Amino acid sequence: MTMHRRGALMALAAWLAHAPATQAQGLMQLRIGTVAPKGSSHHQQLLEMGEAWRAAQGPGAKVTVFTDGSQGGEHELLRRLRIGQLQGAMMTVVGLRDIEPSVSALQNLPLLFRSWDEVDAVREKLRAGLEKRFLDKGFVVVAWGDAGWVRFFSKTAAVRPDDFKPLKFFSWGPETEQQALMKGLGYTPVPLETNDVLPALQTGMIQVVPTTPYFALATQVFGPAPHMLDLNWAPVVGAVVVTAKAWEAMSPAAQVALKAAGEKAGVAIRAAARREVEESVEAMRKRGLQVHKPTPEQLKEWTDLAEKLYPKLRGSLVPAETFDEVMAHVKAVRGGR
């Protein structure tokens, strides 16, 4: 072997040793996690996005979608993204705000949005800035979606804010700020992960689950919690993100394909989620769910509670600058009213 050839081989070996594994092996695995149920519209859209990416990435590319929280709750999904066990995830604001806190303005301001049109309009106003902030923190947003309105499912009938004070609420485990706010208002949060909700209801550890009708139906939450307050407390907003490291390891064609598939999936996810709200409620009604619609007087009690919450949320759960920006956008959408 000539010295020149030996030197070339040593240089190649050194490059392979330091190159990303996906490049060195000539293939890439895209592992995506979500707490969404298997077979749901969210799962289906992730599969379609993954297939578009796989076809563009080429031979050897493989996609795996983990559903039902099998990789853990949203905070655990984020941990796995950061250490490279996952390359992508579909998460709600619960997980996304740990990357970029300003995204919480889309989900953590109760009774702010009166319609999906308002949600869409404000999200589009915030979108470019949010995506830039996510990228600065090592994540690429490839799709925006939502999962319906949060409503309160309880073991006993409850229609007024005070009716819920003796009851124990499910609360996302690591959301200590939100739990502190709830306690300050006289409510009792119980920190849990998503997979613990049903057994906690069945054992009496909790009596209230704030969740979407679709999730309540899919996970059978409405069985032990057969009362639903017909109040759109807040939208569940989410996104599909991939790590910047994974994004940079993709071929340019795969990046384009994934972005295009993400835009398409976002539209489909939002349409399906909104349709599924009423479909899910109707399906649960037929199986014993009791729906309680607040009277105008009771509704005012809820809006008063929300107004009382806003100053507490500004600067804590929602960055002050973003809070003010969202309030201005909502006012503009409503024509200044």
Side-chain angles (χ1 to χ4, degrees):
M1 180 181 292
T2 66
M3 290 292 293
H4 176 75
R5 186 177 179 191
R6 185 182 296 113
L9 287 173
M10 290 177 66
L12 176 61
W15 181 85
L16 288 172
H18 292 90
T22 52
Q23 294 179 15
Q25 297 169 4
L27 58 86
M28 184 176 181
Q29 289 195 29
L30 186 60
R31 295 179 290 264
I32 304 172
T34 180
V35 299
K38 183 177 182 179
S40 65
S41 56
H42 293 77
H43 178 211
Q44 183 59 40
Q45 291 303 321
L46 283 177
L47 291 174
E48 292 183 16
M49 288 173 62
E51 178 56 26
W53 170 84
R54 189 201 61 75
Q57 185 69 12
K62 181 181 178 182
V63 179
T64 306
V65 177
F66 300 96
T67 59
D68 298 290
S70 62
Q71 297 296 295
E74 295 198 356
H75 297 279
E76 175 64 13
L77 290 179
L78 182 55
R79 187 189 71 82
R80 289 177 184 269
L81 285 169
R82 285 176 165 153
I83 64 175
Q85 290 182 350
L86 295 173
Q87 289 72 48
M90 175 185 281
M91 295 188 289
T92 67
V93 165
V94 169
L96 296 172
R97 69 183 295 264
D98 281 351
I99 303 172
E100 173 47 52
S102 59
V103 74
S104 59
L106 293 172
Q107 183 172 310
N108 288 341
L109 296 175
L111 300 181
L112 176 63
F113 299 109
R114 298 175 184 171
S115 68
W116 286 118
D117 287 343
E118 289 187 359
V119 175
D120 289 339
V122 172
R123 175 169 38 209
E124 284 305 304
K125 292 286 187 182
L126 298 178
R127 181 173 176 175
L130 284 173
E131 291 183 0
K132 172 65 166 57
R133 293 188 190 105
F134 272 90
L135 185 58
D136 289 344
K137 294 180 178 179
F139 293 87
V140 176
V141 179
V142 295
W144 289 98
D146 42 57
W149 295 103
V150 168
R151 293 181 180 169
F152 298 122
F153 289 79
S154 56
K155 293 179 76 72
T156 57
V159 293
R160 302 173 62 182
D162 283 351
D163 293 343
F164 287 90
K165 286 189 174 179
L167 308 178
K168 296 177 183 177
F169 276 75
F170 160 71
S171 176
W172 293 95
E175 290 207 321
T176 54
E177 291 172 324
Q178 188 174 63
Q179 291 154 22
L181 283 171
M182 291 180 69
K183 290 176 182 177
L185 292 168
Y187 297 95
T188 305
V190 178
L192 295 168
E193 286 295 342
T194 309
N195 290 344
D196 299 323
V197 169
L198 189 58
L201 274 172
Q202 291 168 335
T203 60
M205 182 184 294
I206 57 174
Q207 290 91 34
V208 186
V209 180
T211 189
T212 64
Y214 180 82
F215 186 84
L217 175 62
T219 59
Q220 300 297 293
V221 158
F222 76 97
H227 298 271
M228 186 196 81
L229 180 63
D230 189 2
L231 177 76
N232 292 337
W233 182 243
V236 174
V237 174
V240 179
V241 299
V242 297
T243 64
K245 182 178 179 180
W247 178 262
E248 290 161 6
M250 298 176 190
S251 69
Q255 291 176 347
V256 171
L258 184 57
K259 270 286 192 180
E263 285 295 320
K264 181 180 176 183
V267 173
I269 288 169
R270 294 192 294 272
R274 297 165 193 194
R275 183 177 65 250
E276 288 166 352
V277 169
E278 297 311 320
E279 290 177 352
S280 299
V281 170
E282 186 56 31
M284 290 185 287
R285 274 185 189 270
K286 292 177 180 177
R287 297 164 67 178
L289 179 71
Q290 296 184 49
V291 177
H292 306 279
K293 192 170 186 66
T295 65
E297 179 186 357
Q298 292 163 349
L299 183 58
K300 186 178 185 305
E301 292 180 24
W302 285 103
T303 55
D304 288 346
L305 174 62
E307 291 289 343
K308 184 178 179 180
L309 270 170
Y310 292 156
K312 299 177 184 294
L313 295 169
R314 184 181 184 274
S316 57
L317 256 66
V318 181
E321 183 180 351
T322 311
F323 179 96
D324 296 341
E325 184 182 359
V326 167
M327 288 298 183
H329 287 321
V330 169
K331 186 176 180 180
V333 168
R334 294 175 186 163
R337 295 188 300 276

